Amino acid sequence: MFKNKLKFILKNNKGILPSLPYILVALIFIVIPSILIVIKSFSPTSSGSIIENFNFINEYVWMKILKSIYIATVATIICVLLSYPFAHFLAFGIKSKVSKSLIILLITAPIWMSFLIKIVGLKTLFDCINGYQNSTFGDIFTILGLVYIYIPFMILPIYNVLEGMPRNILFASHDLGRGSFYTFFKIVIPYTKTALFSGITLVFLPSLTTVAVPQFLNTSSSGTMIGDIIMEEGILAQISDISLARASTLAFIISLIVFGCGTIYVVTKKIIKITKERNK
């Protein structure tokens, strides 16, 4: 009976079969772990209560969450401000395919290296510039490290869209008397908004929960971010069910914050769209 139903579903939904590997990967590595995190967040610990799971998120932890959001936001904004002019110049200013390939090779070079090697190398560079060891005090070094690590993930999506952008759109804008400034903000940015959103996601989310970057690059005692706290609790989780519950609860709270921000963005966008349509 079940076998016949499965055949009927596959026969009438031929698009499902090619998607099965991706569905399985999503279930195994995203959906199931997320469900387990939620379950563990609301599971009683050895004390028999789930209150300890949420009491752990005190004022100090909330300050680290807000600090992590701030640092991730600043790093993402810097990546956007640097990536757009660079990708625009790479797509429209360079004609040689060989030169473009070499530049893309240099852009993606940091991705090929070990995460730890990149951080150690960057810290060594800062120490050499400052003239003494362990000279990197302050969140600015954390932000610079995040920009250095994740900016390729902002440049490449924008560049790929700009490279395929029809040039006649730009020519038409200039023929109508619009300058480069107007064309960039009214034509180029709206055309690449999907790539921009992808880049923001690829930069902001890893930056928010980054591990090791603040510990290596910011030698001040207050340089830790929320990802470091999750990692510390995760390490202790090997011997303590309370630490496992705390790490799960913290990850759950951060997921809710991210999901809430995304929901606010989508709802706000729809409200603005509806308002504009009614005003027409």
Side-chain angles (χ1 to χ4, degrees), residues 30-44 50 53-54 244-256 259:
I30 298 176
V31 177
I32 294 176
S34 299
I35 293 173
L36 292 176
I37 287 175
V38 175
I39 292 173
K40 194 62 184 178
S41 299
F42 292 92
S43 297
I50 65 171
N53 304 356
F54 291 88
L244 178 58
R246 287 175 174 176
S248 300
T249 304
L250 190 51
F252 174 64
I253 294 297
I254 293 173
S255 300
L256 285 180
F259 179 76

Side-chain angles (χ1 to χ4, degrees), residues 119-135:
I119 296 302
V120 172
L122 191 61
K123 179 174 175 55
T124 304
L125 175 63
F126 287 143
D127 287 340
C128 290
I129 294 173
N130 294 328
Y132 60 97
Q133 193 173 4
N134 293 328
S135 61

